[in-house]
Amino acid sequence: MDGQVTQPARRTLTPAVLASALFVVACAMVAITFVATRGGLQMPLAASGSAIAAASGSPSAPPTGGLPTTAPTSAPPASPVATPAPTLAPTPEPVETHTANPSPSPFDPLFALAPCPDQPGCYEYLIKRGDSLSGVASRYAIPVSTVLALNPEITDPSTIVVGQILYLGRDPFARLEPCPDTVSCWLYVVRPGDRLSTIAGRFGLTVESILRANTSITDENTIYSGQEIRLVVPEG
């Protein structure tokens, strides 16, 4: 038997093998059909992007024992509404009108002086060494023109004498007699050296107003010493 090669035996499909193969194929087809009718296989998927986005949009709870990463935002305080101030009607300024013998303040320094006899609103000051007419007027807060009106005998304000009585007051007409027939009118006796312009300046009047109140005076230069003229304070 040497030198002869033994050929392998051929496998043949027997009926039993074919039947088994057909059974396996049939089972596979049945399984595939069953799965297809059930909607196919469903594999577990990761959380969808929308779910993640929704989860990330909600505030995350702070870690245990920690603080929130952001402070709660408080609403800004409401700005106070400014209430407009009530509009007040303008108060008219008082019109300065002259009244004879105005009442001084209780703290007026003139009260420390002796009053003039029978002349309300007039006070006597005894001139001392070093005094000047303007200095005394400033000390008692009186205009120099008022001091000159109360002292018409002083022709030169720079020459006053120690021991001389200086008449002081708030009203330049305090030493004059009132007119018997007219209100706000006083009688003045012209002194040597007087001019209508000088008299008007002392009493806060105008030359025109003096001329209107004294129709007999036709010219400023036609007054004389000892003449009695009327001084009228215009109304308003």
Side-chain angles (χ1 to χ4, degrees):
M1 303 279 304
D2 295 336
Q4 295 181 354
V5 178
T6 305
Q7 297 290 333
R10 290 184 178 181
R11 293 181 180 179
T12 59
L13 298 176
T14 61
V17 173
L18 291 175
S20 298
L22 291 175
F23 177 77
V24 172
V25 171
C27 289
M29 294 296 294
V30 171
I32 293 171
T33 304
F34 176 79
V35 172
T37 57
R38 300 287 292 181
L41 296 176
Q42 294 182 355
M43 299 296 292
L45 300 177
S48 63
S50 60
I52 295 174
S56 63
S58 59
S60 58
T64 305
L67 297 175
T69 56
T70 57
T73 304
S74 59
S79 301
V81 179
T83 303
T87 303
L88 301 178
T91 303
E93 295 184 0
V95 179
E96 184 178 356
T97 57
H98 178 82
T99 56
N101 303 325
S103 300
S105 165
F107 304 101
D108 196 319
L110 291 175
F111 282 166
L113 303 178
C116 303
D118 302 324
Q119 293 178 339
C122 173
Y123 301 87
E124 296 179 351
Y125 175 81
L126 188 64
I127 297 176
K128 303 178 180 59
R129 185 177 300 277
D131 279 343
S132 65
L133 190 144
S134 59
V136 175
S138 175
R139 188 185 312 164
Y140 290 93
I142 303 173
V144 173
S145 60
T146 301
V147 177
L148 292 175
L150 293 171
N151 300 270
E153 63 276 2
I154 298 178
T155 57
D156 186 357
S158 62
T159 57
I160 56 176
V161 181
V162 175
Q164 176 184 353
I165 293 179
L166 190 66
Y167 299 101
L168 303 178
R170 305 295 176 194
D171 183 6
F173 301 92
R175 297 188 64 202
L176 301 183
E177 293 292 330
C179 301
D181 55 352
T182 307
V183 296
S184 300
C185 174
W186 290 267
L187 300 175
Y188 175 80
V189 178
V190 178
R191 296 178 176 271
D194 278 346
R195 297 176 59 86
L196 284 186
S197 57
T198 305
I199 298 171
R202 289 183 175 184
F203 291 92
L205 303 174
T206 63
V207 173
E208 290 74 14
S209 67
I210 296 177
L211 290 174
R212 285 194 300 269
N214 300 269
T215 56
S216 60
I217 302 176
T218 58
D219 185 82
E220 181 180 356
N221 298 320
T222 59
I223 60 173
Y224 52 90
S225 178
Q227 181 183 5
E228 188 175 71
I229 62 175
R230 299 159 65 93
L231 303 179
V232 179
V233 178
E235 295 182 359

